[in-house]
Amino acid sequence: MNLGSFRPERQYSMIKKMVLPALLLLSLCGGLTGCGMFQDSKSPEEWFSQTITGLAGKDSFSFIGQAAVRAQDQGQAQNFAYTGRLTGHDQLTMESVIPTQEAVNAKGLQARGITGKTVKVTNFRRQDGGWVRLSSEADPEDTSPSLTRFNPLQQLDGIHDLPKNIKVESSGARGTKVLRIELESSSAKSFLAKQLESEMEGLRKQPGYTRAQSREKQKLQSLWSQGDKQLRQMLNDAQVSTVYHLTINRKSGFPVRLTSESAIDYINLNGAKTRESMVNDVSFQP
């Protein structure tokens, strides 16, 4: 190095040109938390955990969903819609709706244009990290599945600690992240079994059961025990696969949409192999 040509003021100017832009970038990023380039450094698991934590801190929001359940031996799918509203942080009310044919045929079934007949209203309360069903009122002609299994908050809380594989999909719209969440087969099966067993227990808390006279209650108990035994037999050798797609607002971490696809292969009561599939699509509104 030629010391005779060394000029401190020139070196200082060069340092400013290199360092100041970097400092400016850091300040614009708000201490590393508000900048997209640093948000992209989050792992899929961190994005998922952030969403769960954010939802748990919300006092109120709403959602609307559409589901289709198809059994291989029944042919036509059963379609129904549902809505939900969280209030007071821990109180959740869900309503199921048998949609009109126009709503079934429409694209974007999570849109708010779904119309139909309300057939079931179910209330839940957040308790001990889960959701407890408080009450359920149903139309006598209602044949739609229990809303417990379609509670998206219970779904997200339930799979949070289960073994799963999470990947970031490249199909997210601007300002969103899409996570593909696939439960391990054993986890999907145990999670489904837990939900179905909870639904069976819920049947014994219905007014028709609790208010029945002694002889009638014995008959109901016998039917319940038979149904519970059959359910456990079918689940014993069942194979279950479940995949979720969770769309998240990158800025707030609040979920935009949750879809899921489940397939259950089991031996029915006639001894034949059959498959039941369920597709669910929920959109959230802060």
Side-chain angles (χ1 to χ4, degrees), residues 6-21:
F6 179 71
R7 304 175 70 175
E9 65 278 6
R10 183 178 180 183
Q11 298 296 322
Y12 178 65
S13 177
M14 292 176 62
I15 291 173
K16 285 200 299 182
K17 289 181 180 179
M18 291 186 294
V19 175
L20 289 181

Side-chain angles (χ1 to χ4, degrees), residues 208-210 212 215-225:
Y209 189 101
T210 58
R215 182 175 296 181
E216 186 180 358
K217 184 171 288 188
Q218 287 180 356
K219 293 180 180 179
L220 291 174
Q221 176 61 35
S222 177
L223 289 172
W224 184 92
S225 297

Side-chain angles (χ1 to χ4, degrees), residues 68-218:
V69 180
R70 181 192 298 274
Q72 187 179 33
D73 54 358
Q74 294 179 3
Q76 188 174 0
Q78 181 183 19
N79 297 281
F80 71 100
Y82 57 90
T83 63
R85 176 170 291 279
L86 179 75
T87 57
H89 188 73
D90 296 323
Q91 306 297 321
L92 175 65
T93 298
M94 291 182 64
E95 297 183 7
S96 64
V97 179
I98 301 301
T100 61
Q101 192 59 45
E102 290 77 8
V104 173
N105 294 336
K107 294 182 179 180
L109 291 173
Q110 74 278 10
R112 291 190 171 276
I114 294 175
T115 58
K117 176 184 178 183
T118 298
V119 294
K120 185 181 291 156
V121 179
T122 305
N123 295 298
F124 301 88
R125 182 182 67 236
R126 194 197 313 264
Q127 182 176 305
D128 300 327
W131 291 90
V132 177
R133 188 174 72 169
L134 301 178
S135 64
S136 182
E137 299 179 8
D139 186 291
E141 299 178 0
D142 174 39
T143 59
S144 64
S146 167
L147 285 173
T148 301
R149 211 188 322 172
F150 297 91
N151 178 352
L153 307 184
Q154 181 166 289
Q155 291 288 309
L156 290 170
D157 288 342
I159 66 176
H160 187 212
D161 296 321
L162 292 177
K164 54 189 172 293
N165 296 308
I166 308 179
K167 297 179 180 179
V168 175
E169 299 259 291
S170 58
S171 57
R174 185 180 181 89
T176 66
K177 279 278 187 183
V178 179
L179 303 181
R180 182 184 187 277
I181 306 165
E182 182 173 7
L183 299 184
E184 293 186 3
S185 180
S186 58
S187 299
K189 180 178 177 178
S190 62
F191 188 41
L192 175 64
K194 183 178 179 180
Q195 294 175 84
L196 293 176
E197 289 165 5
S198 175
E199 291 177 17
M200 285 296 295
E201 283 297 324
L203 292 176
R204 294 202 290 185
K205 298 178 182 179
Q206 294 299 307
Y209 189 101
T210 58
R211 298 173 185 172
Q213 299 298 319
S214 177
R215 182 175 296 181
E216 186 180 358
K217 184 171 288 188
Q218 287 180 356

